[in-house]
Amino acid sequence: MAEEQPQSLPTELDAWLDDRAAETGRDRGELLARAVATYRLLSEAEDATDTEPLDQQVEELADRVAAVEADVDDRVEDVRDRVVQVMQVAKAKADEE
């Protein structure tokens, strides 16, 4: 049975593969196998990605941020009111003395 010859890579990718093999000390076959395995993982992850749960998480986070902002605004207003009260009491005491 005749063995099929793999298709050759474009010149740019072939040169990169040679350079990478030299840099890492790995052979071309190992690098190609790793590249294909990585591509497979990314493809499977991309296929499995459902934007609906992500959109829901973003919406929930936006709601939480809005709630925190409202709480901070309330607390700042409370502090302002207390500062005004303290200033009024201090002024009243200063006027009496």
Side-chain angles (χ1 to χ4, degrees):
M1 181 193 290
E3 201 173 281
E4 287 187 38
Q5 294 295 320
Q7 293 180 340
S8 62
L9 293 172
T11 306
E12 183 180 320
L13 289 177
D14 195 49
W16 177 86
L17 189 59
D18 286 338
D19 292 343
R20 190 70 182 146
E23 289 172 9
T24 62
R26 294 187 170 103
D27 65 19
R28 289 173 51 98
E30 182 182 354
L31 288 176
L32 285 171
R34 290 171 58 111
V36 170
T38 301
Y39 178 80
R40 179 181 176 191
L41 288 171
L42 290 173
S43 292
E44 289 172 356
E46 186 178 82
D47 292 343
T49 301
D50 185 2
T51 59
E52 195 171 305
L54 183 59
D55 290 344
Q56 183 179 359
Q57 288 177 341
V58 169
E59 188 176 322
E60 288 172 4
L61 286 173
D63 291 345
R64 288 175 57 190
V65 168
V68 168
E69 287 175 340
D71 184 51
V72 167
D73 289 344
D74 290 345
R75 289 174 186 245
V76 167
E77 188 62 35
D78 185 53
V79 168
R80 284 183 185 145
D81 291 344
R82 290 178 188 220
V83 168
V84 168
Q85 289 174 354
V86 168
M87 294 291 289
Q88 289 172 345
V89 169
K91 185 176 180 185
K93 286 185 178 182
D95 288 344
E96 288 176 7
E97 293 176 1

